[in-house]
Amino acid sequence: MQHYTMNLNLKVWRQKSGTSTGGFETYSVSNISSEMSFLEMIDVLNERLIKEGGDPIAFDHDCREGICGMCSMVIDGRPHGPWKGTTTCQLHMRAFKDGDTITIEPFRANAFPVIKDLMVSRSAFDRIIQAGGYVSVNTGNAVDGNAIPIEKEKADDAFAAAACIGCGACVAACKNASAMLFLSAKVSHLALLPQGEPERKQRVVSMVAQMDKEGFGSCTNTYACEAECPKEISVLNIARLNREYLNASLSGS
Amino acid sequence: MHMLDSMIPAGPLEEKWTRYKGTVKLVNPANKRKLEVIVIGTGLAGSSAAASLGEMGYKVKAFCFQDTPRRAHSIAAQGGINAAKNYQNDGDSVYRLFYDTIKGGDYRAREANVYRLAEVSTHIIDQCVAQGVPFAREYGGLLSNRSFGGTQVQRTFYAAGQTGQQLLIGAYQALERQVALGTVEMFSRHEMVELVIIDGKARGVIVRDLVTGELERHFGHAVLLCSGGYGNVFYLSTNAMGSNVTAAWRAHRNGAYFANPCFTQIHPTCIPVSGDHQSKLTLMSESLRNDGRIWVPKQQGDNRKPNQIPEEERDYYLERRYPAFGNLVPRDVASRAAKERCDAGYGVGSSRQAVYLDYAAAIQRYGKAEVSKHNLGNVSTEVITNLGKEVVKEKYGNLFAMYEKITGENPYEVPMRIYPAVHYTMGGLWVDYELKTTIDGLYALGEANFSDHGANRLGASALMQGLADGYFVIPYTLGNYLADEIRTTPISLDHPAFVEAEKKANDRIQRLMSIQGKQTVESFHKRLGKIIWDQCGMARSEEGLKKAIADVQALKKEFWSDVRIPGEVNAMNPELDKAGRVADFIELGELMCVDALNRNESCGGHFREEFQTSDGEALRDDEQYMYVSAWEYNESGWDLHKEELNYEKVKPSQRSYK
């Protein structure tokens, strides 16, 4: 792989706090290596801003290996940037070329208020989980792990849904700021497993109610969520969610 | 110096935990509702502890610095979790898991704790399955296992290469369920900055709200530190950017002893450093050593591409040196062997600080197995290769994809380049059998304590320990303490100890902000990391450690006179948060070197160049050093206390994987 360096223009959303108005600021960065990660490029800029007496850009990040779900950002109009199935922290600068202008914004949704610059609050997701995204089993109640065989295919499908990292890209990608992909991933994960069976109906009803209460929009099946999901969670989960919801509503739960 | 008492219950090793549980003091349900517990950190240990204690009826307050508890760094653990289920009928047992862990730790772990860990390991799997953790399964519907380093049985349970994620989400969901029920109050984006001690007992914490910058006081009848390890002292590590030692270090500064700080784990299979811009390192799971073969060219400085180097000119050095365990030797052994080859000039890649991890043979092997399974008869090599790639993709797909994203190279076609990197810290706050530190009412769980892994941790044992401590140990041992606290009513937040602790935290913040120097926090952290990596990393020497101590002391002075922190105190200020953490890492870095210098032997991850066998293996000195070093902080340095290690069951011997 050929490595190269580049000079870039960055248009970055700056907003002092949740209550202040924000706007774009333009920065130029030079000598950026194609081997850097996108966040390392921002680190370089922030180090410079600190030295110049400026205010570094606030952004969420932690594991920097694509699994914690803390990083966010809309890069050139796309949550987590141009690479498919990739979080911002795993996006590398070889995705860009010398002279590019890159626009960087926070995830935008009413239910995800901005805290500062590129940082938003996604605590609405925690409250959706609190509404029923679990199996009610206390520590110590369990039977042997192999007591209930589970079809491999079902276990694999449950895992594929459970791979959601709760980053919120689905919401940011959706024109309605709907949280259906996030919610459906959890409902699917638990509905596919025998352990989730006893609370299956109550769970989906409560979680959907909480989602609505948080102010997320409705799903109009444009599938932008699936296209931008860094873990490539399938929209088939939304179809399953709708079936689960209908089933639970019709049977009176 | 005094000898520490680890409060190990009497009786035969196999019966200690059962006897303890049968005789430990209990707290009745009505009293549990009046007792408050503070949990710092929401990784596997913290989430599982907070959820379990909430279920039992205690009033719990849990804190994490991330935006939600589900982000804690346990989430990044890839390969798996061990349990002595013996589902594979390959001779596993509680004793074997116990023995492997003690041996893997190079006979520097406490027998009683490790035995208990092996005992409860089976319950962890049951609990997680009951929560709906989607472990990998076989076609018959039963749980699947794989091998990990340092063992000869298959006892590792996994969920693709995302086991930590699935286990943490299980614990997180249990935690959120308690939040919904009102037994746990959750504080995200909060960081503990001071411990509150009243009459010798931990009674609360001072935390900083990372959004507003405000300091808050919180009371608890007990405080549990589940704040993870301190690998980020090296700057570059596989830890998350925010992982830090501050909670543990504040406890240490308040009297909690810090044990075996020099026992750090350098993981053999990480993606090599690509340049000065590097902010963190990425692990390639140890599970890859199940099928991958590690090699370097037989010729020094060989510039050919890996695929151009013929089989007979490759040195599969782990298979050569350790025929019994081959590529599955424990981490410390594998890391040192990679360093030895690179130092001797056989390294690969542009930096020459890398070795190959090659899947070509595994792809062929799996491909042929598929051909025979599906009765495909005579097929071309290309078909076999493609079938093999599919199998490898199912087993390790997410890891291969991650490698490609970071390096731009396709590991299905060319061998991966890997090099050791800091991954885990076996050292941590000293705890007794009950996981209690040397401060009454203060407990440490998971990676934050030192207790179970000795001088080297085996793969897939960190997840096991975190969940063992949180789900199955602390719910019993904490009750033994709280049973005597039922008459303690909540202490007012205006108590002088709270006022004093908040003032201390505030003074420190003001002092940091008032420096207004020229150098960034990040630049200090990088320099600290380089000192510790060079002198207290994979190889240590008396001379190097003495130099490192002097260098760290000088760095500390420079930090406190020239660091530049922008922004305000009473607002979100990530640079200020980082400055507090780096200041603590600097002090810890010195203690690590002090500890490494004290330990005149090599064991596990602690390799002193002066102490090695003729074939370059770690040379222990059981006569002099079969103890846990537990350091007490004082204004002028540290005092050493020792916990003698008594092996009743296992006979320590020269560790061999040949």
Side-chain angles (χ1 to χ4, degrees):
Chain A
M1 164 121 318
Q2 202 60 43
H3 305 306
Y4 55 96
T5 58
M6 64 198 100
N7 299 330
L8 301 162
N9 286 308
L10 306 177
K11 282 175 69 184
V12 184
W13 184 264
R14 303 301 310 262
Q15 184 172 337
K16 209 168 161 36
S17 71
T19 49
S20 55
T21 16
F24 284 104
E25 294 271 342
T26 304
Y27 305 91
S28 50
V29 286
S30 49
N31 256 324
I32 298 298
S33 159
S34 60
E35 287 187 279
M36 279 184 193
S37 73
F38 192 82
L39 295 183
E40 284 166 352
M41 181 272 295
I42 299 195
D43 290 342
V44 169
L45 172 59
N46 271 347
E47 286 290 285
R48 195 186 83 202
L49 291 176
I50 295 165
K51 282 190 185 145
E52 291 170 356
D55 186 23
I57 300 159
F59 62 97
D60 269 325
H61 64 112
D62 201 26
C63 79
R64 294 203 178 187
E65 48 189 273
I67 194 73
C68 77
M70 191 138 170
C71 67
S72 51
M73 301 190 193
V74 173
I75 300 163
D76 285 341
R78 298 183 63 181
H80 294 299
W83 283 359
K84 194 171 162 46
T86 306
T87 55
T88 294
C89 67
Q90 293 279 277
L91 175 64
H92 277 65
M93 293 311 292
R94 62 179 186 278
F96 302 93
K97 56 183 195 306
D98 190 31
D100 277 357
T101 295
I102 307 174
T103 308
I104 310 171
E105 301 165 77
F107 280 1
R108 296 195 191 275
N110 273 342
F112 290 169
V114 171
I115 295 172
K116 185 181 179 185
D117 299 337
L118 305 171
M119 221 177 234
V120 299
S121 168
R122 288 164 284 186
S123 57
F125 274 11
D126 287 334
R127 290 187 293 273
I128 292 177
I129 297 297
Q130 284 159 27
Y134 44 75
V135 173
S136 294
V137 51
N138 282 359
T139 303
N141 278 347
V143 296
D144 184 84
N146 264 348
I148 309 169
I150 301 173
E151 233 177 293
K152 184 178 186 315
E153 207 179 321
K154 275 199 172 168
D156 288 349
D157 285 350
F159 169 77
C164 166
I165 56 175
C167 66
C170 47
V171 174
C174 179
K175 60 181 175 153
N176 306 324
S178 166
M180 283 287 270
L181 192 64
F182 168 78
L183 170 61
S184 69
K186 187 47 62 194
V187 167
S188 288
H189 163 209
L190 297 173
L192 281 161
L193 298 173
Q195 287 82 7
E197 190 61 35
E199 298 165 286
R200 189 169 174 175
K201 291 177 181 172
Q202 183 55 45
R203 173 181 306 118
V204 64
V205 172
S206 307
M207 290 179 80
V208 167
Q210 187 64 36
M211 174 180 69
D212 291 344
K213 201 170 138 190
E214 295 290 346
F216 292 103
S218 304
C219 174
T220 47
N221 295 306
T222 54
Y223 303 165
C225 51
E226 182 188 72
E228 301 297 353
C229 173
K231 295 293 143 184
E232 301 179 299
I233 305 288
S234 166
V235 289
L236 292 177
N237 290 303
I238 296 182
R240 188 180 289 109
L241 167 68
N242 287 331
R243 279 200 305 276
E244 292 289 323
Y245 187 76
L246 197 64
N247 186 24
S249 316
L250 290 177
S251 62
S253 263
Chain B
M1 191 203 80
H2 72 270
M3 285 290 176
L4 285 160
D5 182 359
S6 43
M7 309 291 283
I8 297 168
L13 189 63
E14 299 82 354
E15 291 170 27
K16 285 182 194 295
W17 182 233
T18 309
R19 285 193 191 186
Y20 177 89
K21 286 191 292 182
T23 54
V24 72
K25 280 179 257 181
L26 299 174
V27 180
N28 88 30
N31 283 327
K32 282 198 187 101
R33 286 193 285 273
K34 294 184 213 150
L35 292 165
E36 301 181 34
V37 182
I38 285 173
V39 179
I40 304 294
T42 58
L44 287 180
S47 283
S48 60
S52 302
L53 296 171
E55 289 161 8
M56 293 166 77
Y58 292 111
K59 280 170 76 173
V60 180
K61 282 182 174 178
F63 299 83
C64 69
F65 69 79
Q66 298 92 342
D67 68 329
T68 144
R70 66 180 290 160
R71 314 259 191 243
H73 197 55
S74 305
I75 202 141
Q78 299 169 352
I81 177 166
N82 288 328
K85 282 286 197 184
N86 194 31
Y87 285 158
Q88 304 306 320
N89 194 31
D90 55 2
D92 201 8
S93 63
V94 167
Y95 181 80
R96 288 236 191 229
L97 174 50
F98 155 75
Y99 174 81
D100 287 345
T101 308
I102 289 282
K103 178 187 171 190
D106 217 354
Y107 307 98
R108 290 293 176 267
R110 191 190 287 155
E111 270 195 335
N113 284 53
V114 176
Y115 197 89
R116 175 178 66 191
L117 174 68
E119 247 181 306
V120 304
S121 68
T122 57
H123 303 310
I124 297 171
I125 300 305
D126 301 340
Q127 181 63 31
C128 295
V129 168
Q131 290 170 346
V133 169
F135 284 117
R137 287 176 183 268
E138 304 292 350
Y139 283 100
L142 302 180
L143 295 161
S144 178
N145 290 114
R146 60 184 171 200
S147 312
F148 251 65
T151 71
Q152 289 174 314
V153 296
Q154 290 192 298
R155 64 160 72 100
T156 305
F157 295 79
Y158 64 98
Q162 290 157 245
T163 318
Q165 181 202 23
Q166 295 307 317
L167 296 176
L168 183 61
I169 287 177
Y172 156 76
Q173 288 172 186
L175 171 67
E176 292 296 352
R177 175 173 161 244
Q178 293 308 308
V179 172
L181 291 170
T183 61
V184 178
E185 195 179 351
M186 185 67 224
F187 297 82
S188 296
R189 295 196 197 266
H190 279 68
E191 180 151 282
M192 170 178 155
V193 289
E194 198 51 75
L195 180 70
V196 179
I197 299 177
I198 299 174
D199 299 331
K201 291 177 173 176
R203 289 300 191 195
V205 291
I206 306 297
V207 295
R208 183 167 187 270
D209 178 332
L210 301 183
V211 175
T212 63
E214 273 166 40
L215 294 176
E216 298 171 5
R217 306 169 190 178
H218 294 273
F219 162 80
H221 289 88
V223 177
L224 316 185
L225 299 184
C226 312
S227 45
Y230 50 88
N232 269 348
V233 66
F234 290 90
Y235 183 72
L236 286 181
S237 82
T238 65
N239 282 185
M241 301 301 286
S243 300
N244 68 80
V245 77
T246 289
W249 199 255
R250 294 292 104 200
H252 176 57
R253 293 279 304 245
N254 279 290
Y257 295 0
F258 210 101
N260 295 337
C262 82
F263 289 169
T264 50
Q265 178 161 80
I266 316 286
H267 196 293
T269 53
C270 299
I271 299 177
V273 175
S274 70
D276 287 339
H277 56 262
Q278 194 99 25
S279 59
K280 78 151 268 159
L281 295 169
T282 303
L283 174 75
M284 288 282 107
S285 167
E286 177 161 306
S287 60
L288 292 171
R289 285 199 276 143
N290 262 305
D291 286 315
R293 297 180 74 195
I294 293 176
W295 63 277
V296 292
K298 279 186 180 166
Q299 190 190 318
Q300 283 175 331
D302 195 328
N303 281 323
R304 287 175 293 178
K305 293 203 166 114
N307 294 342
Q308 292 167 345
I309 301 176
E311 195 59 26
E312 62 276 12
E313 291 178 44
R314 301 175 175 190
D315 176 14
Y316 295 92
Y317 58 88
L318 288 177
E319 296 169 32
R320 170 171 58 79
R321 284 180 67 178
Y322 306 99
F325 281 70
N327 291 296
L328 281 177
V329 290
R331 292 172 175 178
D332 55 336
V333 178
S335 290
R336 266 199 299 283
K339 180 181 191 297
E340 187 276 330
R341 284 291 82 187
C342 292
D343 289 352
Y346 297 92
V348 301
S350 52
S351 67
R352 300 268 170 224
Q353 292 290 299
V355 300
Y356 290 126
L357 174 61
D358 197 336
Y359 261 69
I363 287 172
Q364 290 307 312
R365 180 162 47 83
Y366 281 124
K368 284 175 190 156
E370 286 296 292
V371 168
S372 104
K373 194 157 90 190
H374 301 293
N375 230 342
L376 299 178
N378 262 343
V379 292
S380 66
T381 322
E382 199 190 329
V383 173
I384 295 173
T385 306
N386 286 338
L387 288 168
K389 281 180 187 168
E390 280 307 308
V391 177
V392 168
K393 190 175 179 190
E394 190 188 328
K395 284 181 175 259
Y396 310 107
N398 68 321
L399 300 170
F400 276 49
M402 188 158 70
Y403 182 86
E404 188 169 0
K405 275 172 201 161
I406 293 172
T407 64
E409 293 171 359
N410 178 353
Y412 294 96
E413 304 296 337
V414 292
M416 289 180 253
R417 286 172 297 110
I418 53 158
Y419 196 70
V422 177
H423 178 58
Y424 185 87
T425 52
M426 284 74 70
L429 291 174
W430 186 88
V431 291
D432 63 14
Y433 188 74
E434 297 185 314
L435 305 182
K436 187 152 74 176
T437 67
T438 48
I439 298 174
D440 234 11
L442 181 72
Y443 294 75
L445 281 65
E447 193 179 349
N449 74 30
F450 86 103
S451 72
D452 293 355
H453 307 295
N456 174 60
R457 179 175 65 75
L458 290 182
S461 287
L463 304 185
M464 173 173 66
Q465 189 219 335
L467 290 180
D469 288 358
Y471 283 136
F472 296 108
V473 178
I474 201 72
Y476 290 92
T477 61
L478 188 63
N480 201 34
Y481 174 75
L482 292 179
D484 293 331
E485 293 290 332
I486 52 176
R487 284 170 202 84
T488 309
T489 50
I491 296 170
S492 159
L493 297 178
D494 297 324
H495 187 286
F498 273 100
V499 177
E500 178 57 30
E502 186 183 311
K503 184 176 179 305
K504 213 162 124 189
N506 191 42
D507 288 351
R508 186 163 182 265
I509 289 170
Q510 297 297 345
R511 202 178 140 211
L512 280 167
M513 291 300 290
S514 67
I515 299 167
Q516 289 303 319
K518 287 186 207 62
Q519 303 177 63
T520 63
V521 178
E522 200 75 1
S523 67
F524 280 105
H525 196 179
K526 269 190 192 179
R527 284 165 64 194
L528 172 70
K530 185 161 170 30
I531 296 169
I532 306 295
W533 175 250
D534 287 348
Q535 308 299 352
C536 200
M538 271 190 284
R540 297 127 184 224
S541 69
E542 182 181 340
E543 195 195 343
L545 289 165
K546 284 183 172 160
K547 183 176 177 306
I549 291 170
D551 288 352
V552 175
Q553 286 170 346
L555 189 73
K556 183 177 171 180
K557 271 200 189 125
E558 201 179 321
F559 176 89
W560 284 98
S561 59
D562 198 32
V563 73
R564 179 186 191 93
I565 304 165
E568 299 154 33
V569 175
N570 289 318
M572 164 164 277
N573 191 343
E575 285 298 310
L576 174 59
D577 307 335
K578 206 158 67 181
R581 295 168 189 169
V582 171
D584 289 336
F585 276 135
I586 292 175
E587 293 181 8
L588 166 73
E590 183 181 348
L591 178 62
M592 285 168 67
C593 297
V594 167
D595 186 44
L597 189 60
N598 169 69
R599 197 168 276 279
N600 288 310
E601 64 162 352
S602 293
C603 56
H606 170 64
F607 191 74
R608 281 280 299 271
E609 285 166 345
E610 306 94 320
F611 308 100
Q612 51 181 307
T613 64
S614 55
D615 49 357
E617 304 295 338
L619 185 62
R620 286 200 327 265
D621 181 351
D622 289 348
E623 284 290 303
Q624 302 285 327
Y625 292 98
M626 195 170 267
Y627 63 75
V628 174
S629 52
W631 300 90
E632 180 184 9
Y633 178 84
N634 66 49
E635 285 302 324
S636 58
W638 287 274
D639 296 321
L640 175 63
H641 303 280
K642 296 177 183 174
E643 176 198 340
E644 215 175 320
L645 292 166
N646 298 308
Y647 288 92
E648 293 171 22
K649 203 80 188 172
V650 176
K651 200 173 155 43
S653 58
Q654 161 82 29
R655 204 163 56 126
S656 170
Y657 292 96
K658 288 180 194 274

